[in-house]
Amino acid sequence: MSDLKSLIRTIPDHPKPGILFRDVTTLFGDAQGFKAVIEQMAARYRGVPVDAVAGIEARGFILGGAIADKLGCGFIPVRKKGKLPWETIGQEYTLEYGTDVIEIHADAVAKDERILIVDDLIATGGTAEAAVKLIRRCEGDVVGASFVIDLPDIGGGKRLDDLGVTWQAVMAFGGH
Ligand code: AMP
């Protein structure tokens, strides 16, 4: 099987100068690579009670749906502002490039439900932190956060550590 890291395409200066965009679509397009990354992300939570995976739009949907299927649990979409059709709660956050708001349906997470957050990449940790806050505002229990890629030089994982959230990434890339 191909080395998973080699399946990530790096696009310099996208979406703006100075950003090295780590493109996971090349990994998703590789049947063995996609299967392997889903298996690794799910393996850590086998035997851990998880009620639902909360996947962050949009690449977190692709990963999160497959991981929820492996774990035999539900899936909650965490979407950009204005996309969900029913009553929502929102949380503002700062991206590596800009600010935004993510939302979940107001009834998506019940009290004490155990939720695993999934996204493709953690950079500043702002998006993941906003997802943690949304789930906790619903009195849900964040059992962990799982990513394909960590950018340790940006250090977003520290924000999750500070929130008391256990997290993992399949691989890391140095630099920004
Ligand atoms: P952050 O909130 O700074 O941790 O940013 C994480 C979110 O932004 C994820 O949903 C990523 O898909 C996206 N993102 C941030 N930086 C990058 C990057 N260098 N390459 C690809 N995606 C990125």
Side-chain angles (χ1 to χ4, degrees):
M1 196 213 311
S2 331
D3 170 40
L4 290 180
K5 212 168 164 182
S6 72
L7 292 173
I8 306 293
R9 173 166 53 195
T10 296
I11 304 162
D13 300 322
H14 178 84
K16 67 175 195 188
I19 303 290
L20 285 174
F21 193 87
R22 305 296 181 177
D23 176 17
V24 292
T25 66
T26 40
L27 168 68
F28 291 175
D30 184 284
Q32 284 186 315
F34 185 54
K35 195 179 182 65
V37 85
I38 295 300
E39 186 51 43
Q40 282 190 38
M41 291 172 81
R44 167 73 177 71
Y45 292 93
R46 274 218 182 83
V48 176
V50 176
D51 294 305
V53 169
I56 300 175
E57 185 170 359
R59 293 173 291 272
F61 291 175
I62 297 158
L63 294 159
I67 292 167
D69 180 58
K70 286 257 182 210
L71 296 178
C73 68
F75 177 82
I76 296 166
V78 180
R79 298 213 64 179
K80 304 277 165 60
K81 188 176 173 61
K83 300 280 189 181
L84 288 166
W86 198 66
E87 190 185 320
T88 58
I89 57 168
Q91 184 77 41
E92 197 178 50
Y93 67 104
T94 309
L95 267 177
E96 193 181 352
Y97 36 84
T99 65
D100 220 332
V101 174
I102 52 170
E103 296 180 334
I104 57 173
H105 273 143
D107 63 353
V109 179
K111 187 174 182 315
D112 296 330
E113 264 189 331
R114 297 170 56 88
I115 310 296
L116 170 64
I117 294 169
V118 168
D119 202 359
D120 65 327
L121 180 145
I122 180 164
T124 67
T127 316
E129 180 177 0
V132 171
K133 287 180 176 166
L134 277 178
I135 291 160
R136 288 183 174 169
R137 278 166 59 195
C138 299
E139 298 182 85
D141 177 10
V142 179
V143 295
S146 185
F147 306 90
V148 178
I149 299 169
D150 176 33
L151 303 182
D153 295 337
I154 299 180
K158 170 84 168 54
R159 285 167 85 159
L160 293 180
D161 294 340
D162 291 346
L163 288 164
V165 173
T166 308
W167 64 277
Q168 309 80 39
V170 174
M171 65 186 80
F173 282 95
H176 286 227

